[in-house]
Amino acid sequence: MTMRFAISYSTPFFGVDPDRITAFARHAEECGFEALYVPEHIAVYPGARAGAHEIPPALPYADPLDCLAFVAAATDRILLGTGVLLLPYHHPVVLAKRLATIDVLSRGRMRLLTVGLGTLPGEAAAVGVDFTTRGRRADEAIDVLRLLWAGGAEGVGFAGEFFSFADLCSFPKPLGVTHLPIHVGGSSRAAARRAGRRGDGYFPGGALTPEERAAQMDLARSTAREAGRDPDALEYTRWGSIDMSAEQVQELAEQGVTRIVVSPTAAEPDRQRDQMSAFAARFALPARPTAV
């Protein structure tokens, strides 16, 4: 069984103290976790709800890309991921530059970008986006990102429903690749189809039944095939628990999962490190010696 393991740092619940974030990231790297993921909300408001849960408006959601750039400066191996970046709320011309810059400065580690649509109408309104068009807007944004990353000094053009430009150049380029991987997050069949048509991977969330999860991944693969893409090239990422067993990991592997993202349940930094170390030992992650 080949499985990759990543860890999530939740700024809204673990805080934005810089020393705590860097200590967490360094320990994750030393333990052998492949990547560190951070979430995004650009703006919340009283009464905002994610499903049945109300989001406390004062939670400190740090900007994920700024946070990952900060983490990159304090580490040297761990990959950088978002879980998820709310793509319709970012202009792709600006975003292409930011992502490529982080990738270059981190020496090629901005490689687990996961994008989603967002579920808060008030958040969309706050950044001037029509909530009902965010799916089409995200599709165009993915196309624009890849076009700009691949384009040369002669410039590229795009004419879409939401974005339009001509003879545009975007440098620096991602390090050593024509485009950065873009994984699609979500918990709907529309998200699965988007992953198949445009994604490098699918990262479903939500409280779905096993049958619905299987149907969505099958849909992602069949959509990729219909679009002339290789369905076997799609990575499949899922959330797991920090105390999960080898049997649970094996079950996910049998479903085609290629990466599991976990998060500590403890609030205290020392206890979080203990949980991370125990997980790494249980699955024999490729530990990196602590720097002296």
Side-chain angles (χ1 to χ4, degrees):
M1 178 186 66
T2 301
M3 182 69 73
R4 285 161 284 177
F5 296 98
I7 193 143
S8 174
Y9 183 92
S10 177
T11 59
F13 296 107
F14 299 158
V16 292
D17 178 84
D19 293 334
R20 180 170 179 174
I21 292 172
T22 54
F24 185 101
R26 285 172 179 152
H27 189 68
E29 184 170 77
E30 290 160 6
C31 284
F33 285 96
E34 177 201 27
L36 183 139
Y37 282 74
V38 291
E40 176 174 53
H41 270 299
I42 294 173
V44 296
Y45 44 90
R49 304 185 73 85
H53 304 287
E54 187 168 334
I55 302 173
L59 289 179
Y61 280 94
D63 180 277
L65 300 187
D66 289 340
C67 188
L68 290 173
F70 182 75
V71 164
T75 57
D76 57 29
R77 183 191 60 80
I78 199 164
L79 299 183
L80 311 171
T82 56
V84 297
L85 184 91
L86 304 179
L87 184 57
Y89 308 154
H90 294 267
H91 197 292
V93 174
V94 178
L95 187 60
K97 174 81 72 173
R98 294 184 70 195
L99 289 165
T101 299
I102 295 172
D103 192 63
V104 168
L105 294 180
S106 67
R107 295 183 174 88
R109 291 190 281 145
M110 186 67 249
R111 299 301 167 93
L112 286 171
L113 172 72
T114 306
V115 301
L117 301 189
T119 60
L120 304 179
E123 189 171 27
V127 295
V129 170
D130 180 348
F131 187 74
T132 65
T133 66
R134 69 198 193 286
R136 301 198 308 275
R137 191 180 185 98
D139 288 343
E140 269 194 26
I142 292 172
D143 295 343
V144 169
L145 289 172
R146 291 191 172 130
L147 179 68
L148 290 171
W149 288 330
E154 71 282 1
V156 293
F158 188 88
E161 181 182 0
F162 304 98
F163 308 108
S164 180
F165 51 83
D167 302 327
L168 198 64
C169 303
S170 184
F171 288 83
K173 300 300 182 185
L175 188 66
V177 294
T178 55
H179 74 267
L180 297 176
I182 300 175
H183 296 234
V184 174
S187 55
S188 67
R189 298 198 175 194
R193 286 189 292 269
R194 181 169 293 108
R197 285 194 303 267
R198 287 180 166 84
D200 295 289
Y202 188 35
F203 188 171
L208 305 177
T209 65
E211 293 76 18
E212 178 60 19
R213 289 200 184 280
Q216 287 190 15
M217 197 58 203
D218 287 345
L219 180 59
R221 292 180 183 279
S222 64
T223 303
R225 191 176 297 108
E226 291 165 6
R229 308 178 73 221
D230 180 5
D232 294 330
L234 279 177
E235 295 188 36
Y236 185 18
T237 304
R238 288 269 295 275
W239 290 104
S241 63
I242 196 75
D243 59 353
M244 67 192 308
S245 66
E247 290 74 21
Q248 290 172 309
V249 170
Q250 181 64 39
E251 288 176 9
L252 290 177
E254 290 170 357
Q255 295 169 31
V257 174
T258 55
R259 178 181 296 102
I260 294 173
V261 183
V262 300
S263 182
T265 56
E268 304 80 13
D270 288 347
R271 183 75 185 104
Q272 289 178 349
R273 286 192 288 273
D274 289 344
Q275 290 182 323
M276 293 158 69
S277 296
F279 186 95
R282 189 159 65 250
F283 293 103
L285 302 192
R288 174 181 179 273
T290 303
V292 177

